[in-house]
Amino acid sequence: QQKVQQSPESLTVSEGAMASLNCTFSDGTSNNFRWYRQHSAKGLEVLVSIFSDGEKEEGRFTAHLNRANLHVSLHIREPQPSDSAVYLCAVSMWGRTNAYKVIFGKGTHLHVLP
Amino acid sequence: EAGVTQSPRYAVLQEGQAVSFWCDPISGHDTLYWYQQPRDQGPQLLVYFRDEAVIDNSQLPSDRFSAVRPKGTNSTLKIQSAKQGDTATYLCASSFGGGEVFFGKGTRLTVV
């Protein structure tokens, strides 16, 4: 059973300082990784998707994937108070009968101080 | 292209009542997911379908929860005899094959 764990649970940074979030997964056959942002009581906004080892940048958001270490991270450059939200790591893998299964971590609460 | 549509957006029930949530996925998407997201937690997969077939419902509390997708398009998630612990947002999502997963806005359920 795939387990997805995020750390830290909560992170406070000052505006302009780099924010780094971590996600580990247990199933080495996972092949698709996404970071989402969720503002309070709002829907899920996809930030960056990554499919192969290395780095993928989307604006101020950069994901790093290291499949051997079962680890994917998200780095937010120059965070702003409006980036304060819950950040969710989603890990996907082919499940039974070729259907794609998507499992989420519990999230990291990011607080950006002005 | 229309997104994933869910209804109702909000529901308030007393314990013991039943409720149904409806989801209309993006046209052509073969995979449909239902997630439960308690407050301040990540979405937890309840059940997912490929076309009309249930692929995995192992996390669905089968004694009170049921989900169907009879024609491989729209889906309904039903809770019989709701409990306070069912209070959460219920998210529906869809995708085509291994492509990007699109989420609806969710149904926020409160059981008092």
Side-chain angles (χ1 to χ4, degrees), chain A residues 89-105:
Chain A
C89 170
V91 178
S92 304
M93 72 230 80
W94 289 109
R96 290 186 285 156
T97 60
N98 284 333
Y100 220 53
K101 188 171 186 177
V102 183
I103 302 295
F104 283 83

Side-chain angles (χ1 to χ4, degrees), chain B residues 41-102:
Chain B
Q41 293 188 34
Q44 299 160 15
L45 183 64
L46 292 174
V47 58
Y48 71 114
F49 299 83
R50 173 129 183 216
D51 300 318
E52 69 278 3
V54 173
I55 301 302
D56 186 350
N57 62 0
S58 60
Q59 302 305 308
L60 200 61
S62 59
D63 58 336
R64 297 185 299 107
F65 285 63
S66 63
V68 295
R69 192 186 185 199
K71 297 182 180 178
T73 52
N74 300 339
S75 177
T76 303
L77 175 69
K78 184 172 183 177
I79 306 175
Q80 306 258 22
S81 190
K83 298 182 178 180
Q84 287 190 357
D86 299 331
T87 293
T89 296
Y90 290 82
L91 294 167
C92 178
S94 70
S95 69
F96 178 72
E100 185 168 345
V101 179
F102 293 84

